[in-house]
Amino acid sequence: QVQLIESGGGLVQAGGSLRLSCAASGLIFSIEGLGWFRLTPGKEREFVADINRSVGTTIYADSVKGRFTISTDNAKNTVYLQMNRLSPEDTAVYYCAARNFGSIVGSRASYHSWGQGTQVTVSS
């Protein structure tokens, strides 16, 4: 019912920046929040950031707070992740995800729809 398509990943040098985009389509009226997770081989999927589509509140993982910024477009159909001061530890496949109204922010179980992922590689 909800489709999410990420874009914007790539190779960047340490200290550089990337902006990821995720376009949502389908039955998006039920989506309260859009978030980002990341996955590195050998590690669990890590919550990165979430934005509430209704009121605009945001929450970030401590590992990215101050460096990453999550936002939406005016129609609230696209979520962005501006990533600054990137380090090799940020290398991962980044996934956008959607959760319904009343769900718990940052809890993987809350996110019912997922994108295909976009690779971010940060070189030293």
Side-chain angles (χ1 to χ4, degrees):
Q1 298 185 141
V2 177
Q3 296 81 45
L4 303 172
I5 302 177
E6 303 101 331
S7 62
L11 176 65
V12 65
Q13 293 183 347
S17 299
L18 282 175
R19 187 182 70 172
L20 306 182
S21 299
C22 176
S25 61
L27 301 179
I28 62 175
F29 63 88
S30 63
I31 299 176
E32 180 181 59
L34 291 168
W36 291 93
F37 289 75
R38 62 187 183 184
L39 179 64
T40 300
K43 297 182 179 180
E44 296 181 354
R45 188 164 299 198
E46 177 188 18
F47 170 75
V48 176
D50 180 280
I51 185 167
N52 187 301
R53 295 178 65 246
S54 296
V55 299
T57 55
T58 59
I59 188 170
Y60 298 90
D62 289 341
S63 59
V64 305
K65 189 175 298 182
R67 299 187 298 120
F68 291 10
T69 302
I70 188 171
S71 62
T72 59
D73 62 357
N74 290 334
K76 303 184 186 301
N77 294 330
T78 302
V79 61
Y80 304 96
L81 186 67
Q82 178 66 45
M83 305 184 295
N84 298 325
R85 300 189 302 279
L86 287 163
S87 71
E89 294 184 351
D90 296 315
T91 295
V93 177
Y94 284 71
Y95 298 88
C96 64
R99 58 179 179 83
N100 289 341
F101 286 89
S103 56
I104 301 174
V105 177
S107 176
R108 177 172 169 77
S110 296
Y111 298 82
H112 56 80
S113 299
W114 295 81
Q116 82 286 357
T118 184
Q119 176 70 49
V120 172
T121 302
V122 184
S123 62
S124 300

